[in-house]
Amino acid sequence: MSGQGGQDAKFFTRGKIQEFRAELEAAESKDKKFTKRKTVLKKIVANITMGNDMSPLFTDVVQCLGTPLLEIKKMVYLFLVCYGRQKADQLHLVIPSFLQDCNDRNPLVRALAIRTMSYIPTPIVIESLTDQLRHCLKDRDPYVRKTAAICVAKLYTADPRKAEKGGFVEMLRDLLLDTNATVVANAVAALSEIGDRQDGVIFKLNLTVANKLLTALGESSEWGTIYILDSLLRYVPERHIDAEMMAERVIVQLNHANSAVVLTAIKVLLYLMNYMENRKLMEYICKKMGPPLVTLLSSGPEVQYVALRNILLIIQRRPSVLKNDVKVFFCKYNDPIYVKLAKLEIMYRLAREENAREVLAELQEYASEVDVDFVRKAVRSIGRLAIKVQPAADSCIQALLDLIETKVSYVVQEAVIVIKDVFRRYPGKYEGIIPTLCEHLDLLDEPESKAAVIWIIGQFANRIDNADELMDDLTYTFLEEPTEVQLALLTAAVKLFIYKASSDTTKALVHKVLKWATEEVDNPDLRDRGFMYWRMLAINPTVAGEIVLAEKPAITTDADRMDRGALDQLLLHTGTLGSIYHKNPETFIRNATGKALADSPALNPLSRQVLVPASRPNLPPPAVVVPGPGPSEPTSTGAVSGTLVQTDGESPQNGSEASVANGTNGTNEANGASAHLMSTSASQETPSNEGDDDDGMVSPPASADPYAGLDNAFGGYMADEPRPQNRNLLDMI
Amino acid sequence: MISAFFIFNQKGEVLISRLYRTDLKRSIADVFRIQVVSNSDVRSPIITLGSTSFFHVRINNLYIVAVTKCNANAALVFEFCYRFISIAKSYFGKVDEEAVKNNFVLIYELIDEIIDFGYPQNSETDTLKTYITTESIVSANIAAEESSKITTQATGSTNWRRGDVKYKKNEAFVDVVETVNLSMSAKGTVLRADVDGHILMRAYLSGTPECKFGLNDKLVIDKNERGGGDAVELDDCRFHQCVRLDEFDSTRTISFVPPDGEFELMRYRSTSNVKLPLRVIPTVNEIGTSAVSYAITVKTNFNNKLSATNVVVRIPTPLNTTNVDCKVPIGKAKYVPAENVVVWKIPRIQGGQEVTFQGHASLTSTTNRQVWARPPIDVDFQVLMFTSSGLIVRFLKVFEKSNYHSVKWVRYLTKASGSYQIRPYENRRST
């Protein structure tokens, strides 16, 4: 059978309805082996595939149902699935044939009939299906029963109330106890589908049923295993021991060859761990999860990608998983770009003092590749590494300086952006490299990098001999610059003036900039900030200096980690689209249902404390969001009223104390730096990133949006972050 | 779950189109064509527009596409695409535009069977072939009993095997195939080295044989608990669904009823004590801006009874190379301008042997500095009867109620393809 194929390619040519009709008529005579009919039907199916409307042939094609050839029957059924709903008025012609097949002796034919009927959800077909389906759900053949189970889900989609009134949901429930594992798995899949509908019945599992399903796991097909594992999230353990025993039975699935089984098993384990008490077992589970996750990286690149995006979430919630395995995430030269970008984020997260040297060497390697996004992210990661791992800072800075020497524009820009943060992280340590940065001013043509270097010049104007010259050059194009750069220029000009108040050039410069900002520019933020500076300088320049050049809070990378409650919730979607975009599905898929950890006596108290309830928001109608000029909205409560501080660097982990501190200090900073503060957040104390969250302190989410901190790992630089597109392009077609 | 399944050719023409749910129209295919097929810079295998997500896998000149409107299990969708490809391979040998067009009716039959309402169903090739065939079946002629056998198998606990298999001579072939991945720095430091092992089995055994399989492995769960002996440390292993996972978990025995014919019994990964079959020592010198000289030595690292075959060394050259003068002691070396590499092909290198490529690349002077990523040197090869991990098959026992005698064969192969890489430069970007 294998190795030899059909010869049907010739049928892929456009045909006319009339010709096909004539051919079908001709085939009614002298067609002993039905080869003629088969040929015409193949032509028709090929034309359907090509997108040609074959529906006018409905009555002609239906005639062929009398042919006793299974192949012909399947082609006619395919035709019916395609055009049945359009030709609802003529469907009565095929009902008798369907009914006959539903009672065929051959179980394959019975199943085929109900499967096909349920694909044509019109009243007349559904009417005749319901009776048949009731029988088929109790058919003695498991193949028919497993097909019937899915038919119930289809029926429910077409007509929920009819399915409920007909008692089909109860019949599905009964199938959960079927003797055949495949039937059980499909019943689970159908019930889950119904349970996920916003208008569906609630599908929950109790311990007895959950255990029964676990028994079926051993005999299920790989897909069935996935449906069953997935449904275990509908079981809420009431006692620690229940969660622990269930996990022990799920753990064996980690050795399954199918990566979807592995990821779904991991999802169940992560879920159950929220309800456990036995720390030893939890450690054991974490240890067991690592190797299978790494093995997923030898699957195809698509599965690798899914795995990597999930690993990024998992290691934030369970830092002990994979903590010694940073090497496996090193990029191969020929990895697809999406795999490389995902690996880079994981490398950064797993970087610690012990492996920083190796990680840095890799990042340097990547910084010389050709893909611009990848290179930029690599460069930025070097700077982030300097901020995260203090002992590695020296070598990271040297690496950045080497990169600047390449004079490749986007490399230099990225380097400048991160170096600005490095200055804030290690005040008084690396300012010696400022002259090198200033030599490359002409390479900077993007707002973010320009704003960064301007901030550096303003902040350290006292150490830069020709700061006034540089500023004079930079302000030359003030009126054409984007707001981000204008804001930076304004603050830098004020700082320069405060440092060198006696100089006439700086006086003239600040006057010029303030005048522009308040008189020539339409942007209200810029104007208001201009007025504010102007008045401060007019009333008391000394105090203004103290305010503008006040000591800034140090930068840390703690905010990179996502809020625990949000993580707990997102991990309920492990392996799914939501876990790839790091977004709850209800936020980007219409009619998707949110999930939340259910409370129970067994739930870990810390998990309960940060629990994010499920929401069922209806997605607003799709709208095109155009990021306009001007500052973005504050995202957290950190902004104390009355300040102009942009708090986009805030993360909910800071807790209220840190936020307020940042807010007030930020006011002193008078917006210069915070306007381009990026992801790094200010925080007074440095909580350890190591160790499981279950041990540590958890601060309650301070912000309305627990995901605010999520995108922070690589700052505002999100060009390569995978995300669903909020446009409805589908309407264009 | 999956709402629609499509196959596109390179031009974006639809070769197969099947909608499983009414939440999509066929015109969704046009969106994919515009967004992916005609887009030269696709940077993700998943694209989500509004609530609709497109998952695609490329094979030869085709796009295998699944479309969903829900928060689909992405791993499942891709695994399904891979499975479709392997079923198609098994049915018609290759998966390309021609094969799909030639078998489109059969493909429609298959995808009606292996997905129902977007939920993947039994997709074991062996079982599928019992009732979805290329031959015409007259429905009236299939005995109901015969069908019941099929349906029982398709839904049964060993749905990968028919019960009535008979062979005159009972044989089982085991192939241990290891792909060794290497990334080595210019200084010769191993940045990473790991082995992806596959144990492939061809079982031609009658009846319902019960197999037990043993390796010299020692599965490492806790890396701190290292032990001695000749046991090989496997970081992880994954099994075909026929292997009883609970038994493996409790007693570490690999026991199973194999599918009939060829299948992948097990996959494993090893990162400790990886033996590198070939050692590559590159010396690359840039002579001003006009030339580069190369001396690339390849050394075998196994005993002289074995040999590496089909060795292909790919040595990257700068983008402005005009010509490369190559000298090799064995094999053939040729500059391929289209790919900016010198390809050095060596049919066979004996164990203990050492060979060196000498090359001199002449460069044109260019004014526009194109970015050259200085890619690594890449080596492909095969070594028979050698495992990089040191894995050995200890035993394969077959028990069947008729107690027949069976013959077992084991073969080992270590290979590299596309990811055995040595970086020739210490610092890649020229300053």
Side-chain angles (χ1 to χ4, degrees):
Chain A
M1 244 178 296
S2 69
Q4 31 181 281
Q7 297 295 322
D8 294 345
K10 56 180 179 286
F11 300 124
F12 266 84
T13 45
R14 270 174 189 274
K16 290 204 183 83
I17 300 288
Q18 284 310 321
E19 285 169 22
F20 291 148
R21 183 169 288 148
E23 283 179 49
L24 274 175
E25 268 166 32
E28 276 171 39
S29 56
K30 291 188 190 157
D31 191 15
K32 230 182 170 181
K33 285 184 172 163
F34 311 108
T35 40
K36 281 189 195 166
R37 254 178 266 204
K38 215 156 76 181
T39 307
V40 192
L41 284 171
K42 281 185 178 176
K43 285 182 189 170
I44 294 172
V45 172
N47 270 274
I48 297 175
T49 305
M50 289 188 290
N52 302 333
D53 182 16
M54 293 284 115
S55 63
L57 289 168
F58 192 89
T59 42
D60 311 78
V61 171
V62 164
Q63 298 289 315
C64 299
L65 267 183
T67 329
L69 214 59
L70 200 56
E71 202 182 350
I72 287 187
K73 188 191 291 290
K74 285 184 176 173
M75 282 194 276
V76 177
Y77 279 0
L78 186 65
F79 184 93
L80 288 174
V81 171
C82 290
Y83 298 118
R85 280 187 302 146
Q86 273 180 48
K87 295 281 173 184
D89 51 329
Q90 290 172 45
L91 277 172
H92 60 92
L93 294 173
V94 289
I95 298 293
S97 166
F98 272 140
L99 292 181
Q100 196 188 336
D101 282 358
C102 284
N103 295 296
D104 198 281
R105 281 179 59 222
N106 184 338
L108 289 169
V109 174
R110 291 202 292 279
L112 179 65
I114 55 164
R115 189 164 73 219
T116 309
M117 287 173 83
S118 53
Y119 274 127
I120 314 169
T122 56
I124 179 164
V125 181
I126 288 182
E127 197 54 49
S128 35
L129 174 67
T130 42
D131 274 346
Q132 301 302 326
L133 191 52
R134 209 161 278 133
H135 293 298
C136 289
L137 283 164
K138 293 185 173 150
D139 199 288
R140 66 194 139 74
D141 193 288
Y143 185 86
V144 180
R145 292 201 300 277
K146 74 116 188 168
T147 310
I150 297 286
C151 283
V152 175
K154 294 189 220 173
L155 179 65
Y156 203 98
T157 308
D159 191 344
R161 300 295 87 84
K162 191 171 197 106
E164 279 171 18
K165 272 189 209 141
F168 286 104
V169 179
E170 284 74 25
M171 291 177 79
L172 264 188
R173 280 216 179 109
D174 294 343
L175 285 189
L176 289 182
L177 305 172
D178 200 280
T179 48
N180 184 294
T182 308
V183 178
V184 173
N186 273 8
V188 167
L191 277 170
S192 303
E193 162 115 18
I194 293 169
D196 278 343
R197 289 173 59 100
Q198 300 193 356
D199 60 349
V201 292
I202 293 163
F203 176 36
K204 278 190 177 153
L205 297 178
N206 61 25
L207 185 59
T208 323
V209 181
N211 275 330
K212 160 79 181 126
L213 292 180
L214 278 169
T215 318
L217 273 186
E219 295 187 347
S220 299
S221 76
E222 52 201 314
W223 312 115
T225 305
I226 298 168
Y227 307 146
I228 291 175
L229 284 175
D230 211 38
S231 73
L232 293 178
L233 266 66
R234 295 169 188 273
Y235 163 69
V236 182
E238 293 287 323
R239 298 178 301 169
H240 300 305
I241 185 78
D242 295 336
E244 286 158 10
M245 293 202 6
M246 186 170 287
E248 278 170 15
R249 295 176 70 179
V250 169
I251 222 165
V252 301
Q253 300 296 334
L254 293 176
N255 290 113
H256 203 289
N258 186 313
S259 63
V261 173
V262 175
L263 270 177
T264 312
I266 286 176
K267 167 162 72 179
V268 177
L269 291 171
L270 289 167
Y271 166 73
L272 291 173
M273 280 161 84
N274 291 310
Y275 298 92
M276 288 183 194
E277 184 180 45
N278 183 343
R279 304 226 36 107
K280 242 184 156 171
L281 178 65
M282 289 163 75
E283 275 161 34
Y284 174 75
I285 293 172
C286 284
K287 223 173 259 175
K288 279 282 240 181
M289 277 192 301
L293 280 171
V294 175
T295 301
L296 294 181
L297 301 184
S298 32
S299 315
E302 296 83 9
V303 166
Q304 286 184 47
Y305 176 63
V306 176
L308 290 166
R309 295 293 297 168
N310 277 285
I311 288 170
L312 194 54
L313 288 178
I314 295 167
I315 57 176
Q316 290 181 68
R317 178 65 180 85
R318 301 283 169 190
S320 68
V321 178
L322 298 172
K323 68 166 189 244
N324 297 318
D325 287 305
V326 72
K327 269 190 175 191
V328 303
F329 298 102
F330 287 180
C331 301
K332 294 181 186 168
Y333 181 75
N334 37 2
D335 277 336
I337 183 67
Y338 52 85
V339 168
K340 284 186 177 173
L341 291 171
K343 280 185 175 173
L344 204 52
E345 285 188 48
I346 296 173
M347 282 171 62
Y348 163 70
R349 285 206 184 272
L350 293 177
R352 313 178 264 151
E353 185 177 346
E354 293 86 339
N355 58 27
R357 219 167 52 94
E358 287 169 288
V359 171
L360 175 62
E362 282 296 303
L363 293 174
Q364 281 180 283
E365 194 69 26
Y366 307 157
S368 60
E369 291 207 6
V370 267
D371 188 283
V372 176
D373 280 352
F374 183 56
V375 170
R376 297 188 78 134
K377 200 162 181 168
V379 175
R380 198 171 282 222
S381 300
I382 294 175
R384 309 285 301 147
L385 185 63
I387 294 166
K388 180 177 177 184
V389 184
Q390 186 168 9
D394 279 354
S395 32
C396 290
I397 295 296
Q398 190 50 49
L400 288 172
L401 287 176
D402 291 347
L403 286 166
I404 287 174
E405 282 309 315
T406 64
K407 298 188 169 48
V408 178
S409 162
Y410 55 84
V411 171
V412 176
Q413 313 216 40
E414 278 305 322
V416 168
I417 293 166
V418 278
I419 286 175
K420 182 205 73 194
D421 283 342
V422 173
F423 286 160
R424 288 203 53 193
R425 170 75 172 82
Y426 305 108
K429 198 151 178 231
Y430 296 111
E431 284 82 358
I433 66 173
I434 291 174
T436 319
L437 301 183
C438 294
E439 280 165 30
H440 297 87
L441 277 184
D442 48 333
L443 286 169
L444 310 177
D445 53 11
E446 291 168 16
E448 197 184 355
S449 59
K450 257 189 159 169
V453 83
I454 292 165
W455 181 87
I456 293 170
I457 294 171
Q459 187 64 28
F460 304 103
N462 55 335
R463 298 164 179 244
I464 307 170
D465 295 338
N466 60 341
D468 42 356
E469 271 172 55
L470 294 173
M471 280 300 292
D472 202 43
D473 282 353
L474 285 162
T475 45
Y476 192 70
T477 49
F478 182 88
L479 291 171
E480 287 91 63
E481 295 290 356
T483 311
E484 187 180 359
V485 178
Q486 288 176 328
L487 286 168
L489 281 169
L490 174 61
T491 307
V494 173
K495 287 179 182 166
L496 177 68
F497 171 72
I498 288 165
Y499 279 126
K500 304 185 178 178
S502 54
S503 154
D504 285 339
T505 35
T506 57
K507 216 178 277 176
L509 183 77
V510 76
H511 188 257
K512 184 170 67 178
V513 173
L514 284 173
K515 218 168 149 56
W516 274 331
T518 50
E519 289 172 14
E520 305 268 328
V521 179
D522 290 334
N523 187 295
D525 289 320
L526 193 63
R527 205 180 48 218
D528 289 356
R529 200 180 287 186
F531 278 128
M532 186 185 74
Y533 281 134
W534 206 327
R535 270 176 215 154
M536 284 197 323
L537 292 172
I539 293 166
N540 189 341
T542 323
V543 176
E546 279 166 24
I547 292 172
V548 175
L549 292 168
E551 196 177 314
K552 275 158 280 300
I555 274 177
T556 70
T557 51
D558 300 327
D560 284 356
R561 214 161 137 200
M562 222 169 119
D563 175 71
R564 163 150 170 198
L567 269 175
D568 277 343
Q569 197 180 16
L570 257 189
L571 285 170
L572 300 174
H573 300 289
T574 302
T576 68
L577 281 173
S579 71
I580 287 168
Y581 297 123
H582 296 184
K583 280 184 184 335
N584 276 320
E586 69 273 23
T587 63
F588 68 100
I589 294 172
R590 236 173 297 179
N591 299 324
T593 36
K595 284 187 180 162
L597 275 181
D599 201 359
S600 96
L603 184 64
N604 180 312
L606 285 169
S607 297
R608 185 177 300 128
Q609 197 189 329
V610 295
L611 201 137
V612 181
S615 57
R616 282 193 167 187
N618 285 316
L619 277 193
V624 181
V625 181
V626 184
S632 52
E633 295 288 323
T635 52
S636 85
T637 52
V640 178
S641 61
T643 74
L644 291 171
V645 172
Q646 271 186 290
T647 51
D648 50 0
E650 293 280 1
S651 100
Q653 286 102 313
N654 284 337
S656 47
E657 190 195 342
S659 304
V660 171
N662 185 27
T664 45
N665 287 341
T667 321
N668 298 345
E669 164 60 8
N671 318 319
S674 50
H676 40 80
L677 207 151
M678 279 194 2
S679 68
T680 41
S681 86
S683 128
Q684 307 306 80
E685 58 209 320
T686 314
S688 159
N689 256 350
E690 288 301 314
D692 200 296
D693 255 357
D694 290 334
D695 297 325
M697 277 278 299
V698 184
S699 49
S703 106
D705 175 11
Y707 297 92
L710 173 61
D711 289 330
N712 279 349
F714 286 87
Y717 178 60
M718 292 277 297
D720 50 39
E721 187 70 7
R723 62 172 93 180
Q725 298 180 31
N726 201 8
R727 293 172 291 164
N728 204 345
L729 285 179
L730 311 179
D731 290 344
M732 285 161 41
I733 302 294
Chain B
M1 270 304 125
I2 300 169
S3 285
F5 179 81
F6 294 104
I7 301 179
F8 290 84
N9 68 8
Q10 219 161 9
K11 284 185 259 170
E13 290 165 349
V14 178
L15 304 181
I16 292 291
S17 131
R18 175 72 207 253
L19 305 181
Y20 293 100
R21 292 181 175 232
T22 49
D23 53 8
L24 282 180
K25 294 200 187 83
R26 190 193 174 280
S27 56
I28 201 74
D30 300 330
V31 179
F32 181 79
R33 183 167 43 75
I34 295 163
Q35 292 289 322
V36 177
V37 183
S38 44
N39 182 348
S40 59
D41 189 28
V42 177
R43 299 175 79 89
S44 169
I46 305 174
I47 288 171
T48 300
L49 300 168
S51 302
T52 309
S53 301
F54 298 87
F55 298 73
H56 73 272
V57 172
R58 296 197 66 172
I59 169 122
N60 297 326
N61 46 10
L62 300 176
Y63 292 85
I64 311 294
V65 183
V67 191
T68 68
K69 294 275 278 184
C70 62
N71 184 35
N73 184 329
L76 176 140
V77 174
F78 284 129
E79 281 286 342
F80 174 78
C81 293
Y82 295 162
R83 181 60 50 84
F84 171 82
I85 291 168
S86 78
I87 293 172
K89 264 187 196 143
S90 160
Y91 263 91
F92 22 88
K94 53 182 179 162
V95 189
D96 58 12
E97 181 170 356
E98 198 194 348
V100 169
K101 277 186 161 178
N102 272 328
N103 298 285
F104 72 96
V105 177
L106 181 66
I107 292 177
Y108 275 121
E109 257 189 75
L110 279 170
I111 60 174
D112 187 48
E113 183 62 38
I114 58 178
I115 316 185
D116 194 1
F117 202 43
Y119 291 97
Q121 301 289 305
N122 171 45
S123 50
E124 289 301 316
T125 319
D126 200 39
T127 311
L128 287 171
K129 281 183 176 172
T130 59
Y131 62 107
I132 295 183
T133 64
T134 41
E135 296 133 41
S136 303
I137 297 171
V138 179
S139 50
N141 291 359
I142 320 173
E145 297 75 44
E146 181 63 27
S147 300
S148 308
K149 244 190 219 167
I150 294 171
T151 57
T152 313
Q153 195 200 329
T155 60
S157 57
T158 49
N159 62 12
W160 52 85
R161 190 181 177 89
R162 291 181 312 220
D164 55 353
V165 182
K166 274 199 185 75
Y167 288 99
K168 243 188 205 163
K169 193 171 164 194
N170 290 292
E171 285 182 299
F173 299 85
V174 176
D175 282 342
V176 179
V177 181
E178 294 195 340
T179 304
V180 48
N181 303 307
L182 169 73
S183 178
M184 189 181 267
S185 77
K187 289 180 199 147
T189 319
V190 175
L191 299 171
R192 61 172 287 184
D194 56 66
V195 171
D196 272 331
H198 296 246
I199 298 185
L200 307 170
M201 194 166 164
R202 279 169 295 150
Y204 305 116
L205 301 166
S206 313
T208 308
E210 192 45 65
C211 298
K212 278 203 192 317
F213 188 68
L215 300 165
N216 63 332
D217 74 305
K218 175 169 121 28
L219 195 72
V220 187
I221 299 300
D222 188 341
K223 289 212 169 170
N224 303 321
E225 296 168 11
R226 285 173 195 275
D230 66 336
V232 167
E233 291 180 5
L234 300 184
D235 291 35
D236 184 35
C237 39
R238 293 163 71 179
F239 299 100
H240 185 271
Q241 60 165 318
C242 67
V243 175
R244 293 185 192 95
L245 295 179
D246 38 359
E247 212 169 314
F248 175 76
D249 193 59
S250 50
T251 65
R252 296 280 154 212
T253 45
I254 303 169
S255 65
F256 56 98
V257 176
D260 188 36
E262 192 175 337
F263 68 103
E264 184 180 280
L265 173 67
M266 168 178 175
R267 244 186 272 174
Y268 59 89
R269 198 162 48 75
S270 172
T271 49
S272 39
N273 304 320
V274 174
K275 283 177 260 175
L276 299 173
L278 293 187
R279 196 87 193 175
V280 178
I281 305 138
T283 315
V284 181
N285 285 313
E286 298 191 3
I287 307 161
T289 54
S290 64
V292 184
S293 77
Y294 296 88
I296 315 288
T297 302
V298 178
K299 254 184 183 169
T300 55
N301 197 15
F302 43 79
N303 89 44
N304 54 17
K305 282 183 191 135
L306 305 178
S307 57
T309 54
N310 300 326
V311 181
V312 180
V313 186
R314 298 167 64 86
I315 305 152
T317 55
L319 304 179
N320 55 339
T321 303
T322 47
N323 187 33
V324 185
D325 187 27
C326 312
K327 282 194 199 76
V328 288
I330 53 167
K332 275 180 191 159
K334 206 172 95 188
Y335 171 54
V336 185
E339 297 168 43
N340 295 304
V341 286
V342 171
V343 178
W344 177 21
K345 289 186 181 170
I346 312 162
R348 176 182 294 269
I349 312 178
Q350 209 66 34
Q353 213 179 337
E354 177 179 326
V355 290
T356 302
F357 162 91
Q358 302 277 359
H360 181 91
S362 318
L363 313 179
T364 54
S365 50
T366 52
T367 42
N368 63 327
R369 283 200 347 172
Q370 256 182 299
V371 187
W372 182 47
R374 306 201 175 191
I377 294 172
D378 182 87
V379 190
D380 290 356
F381 57 82
Q382 297 188 337
V383 186
L384 259 177
M385 301 316 282
F386 177 88
T387 52
S388 269
S389 66
L391 190 92
I392 293 166
V393 176
R394 280 268 164 77
F395 60 83
L396 170 64
K397 291 176 190 157
V398 178
F399 308 94
E400 218 276 336
K401 54 178 186 283
S402 65
N403 223 351
Y404 54 70
H405 175 72
S406 56
V407 188
K408 299 110 181 172
W409 308 86
V410 184
R411 241 185 349 179
Y412 301 93
L413 174 71
T414 289
K415 61 176 185 177
S417 62
S419 59
Y420 198 84
Q421 300 178 334
I422 297 94
R423 298 176 181 169
Y425 294 94
E426 260 176 56
N427 186 354
R428 290 199 317 192
R429 196 182 287 273
S430 51
T431 50

